Amino acid sequence: MRCMRPSDGLSGTLVVPQAQPETHAPESVDSENRRIDRKYAVEEIAAYIAIRDGLLAEAEKAATCESLRRLSTANDFVETCLQPARSPYEAQSLPEVDAAYERKRCETVKVRIAQLGRRTV
């Protein structure tokens, strides 16, 4: 603890400075960071979805074992990205309404992969 001598007062009196309240970052900075985290996460997940959709279009044009394997891998990855995030990563996921919609699309893609697979055999 640091003590100071007053400039005008009794020479033997010590004055303890008042503790300054801790300054925390404003909540708006924290919420802004969460918003930015969510924005980047949503953009990244959207990119994976676009890649999966491109692979689906490719497989529908010419279904081969390799194109179906790539599509299945991409779809599985997208599905993993859509699982609810655990603390402290909640801000790095799609909003649940969007995630639920995309999970249904993943199921639809799985059905389509099976249909295309039957045609290639």
Side-chain angles (χ1 to χ4, degrees):
M1 178 183 294
R2 191 175 136 208
C3 297
M4 301 169 54
R5 293 190 183 271
S7 58
D8 59 346
L10 300 173
S11 62
T13 305
L14 296 176
V15 177
V16 179
Q18 294 291 331
Q20 296 294 324
E22 290 185 28
T23 56
H24 296 286
E27 270 189 51
S28 61
V29 171
D30 191 40
S31 63
E32 179 69 15
N33 287 342
R34 277 191 235 128
R35 188 182 66 74
I36 290 170
D37 286 348
R38 171 151 285 164
K39 177 182 179 253
Y40 290 138
V42 167
E43 288 174 355
E44 189 169 348
I45 294 168
Y48 297 139
I49 291 168
I51 291 167
R52 188 265 325 263
D53 292 347
L55 291 169
L56 175 59
E58 178 184 310
E60 287 181 333
K61 286 181 185 174
T64 64
C65 290
E66 182 61 22
S67 67
L68 294 175
R69 184 193 62 76
R70 286 193 311 263
L71 173 58
S72 180
T73 300
N75 194 55
D76 290 346
F77 186 78
V78 167
E79 198 168 36
T80 300
C81 292
L82 299 172
Q83 293 175 354
R86 295 183 182 175
S87 180
Y89 304 104
E90 293 93 352
Q92 298 176 359
S93 61
L94 286 179
E96 184 53 34
V97 172
D98 298 332
Y101 171 78
E102 290 300 336
R103 283 191 291 269
K104 286 180 185 175
R105 286 190 62 215
C106 286
E107 290 302 316
T108 302
V109 170
K110 285 181 184 180
V111 170
R112 189 67 183 131
I113 290 169
Q115 291 170 344
L116 292 169
R118 284 192 294 272
R119 288 195 313 189
T120 60
V121 174

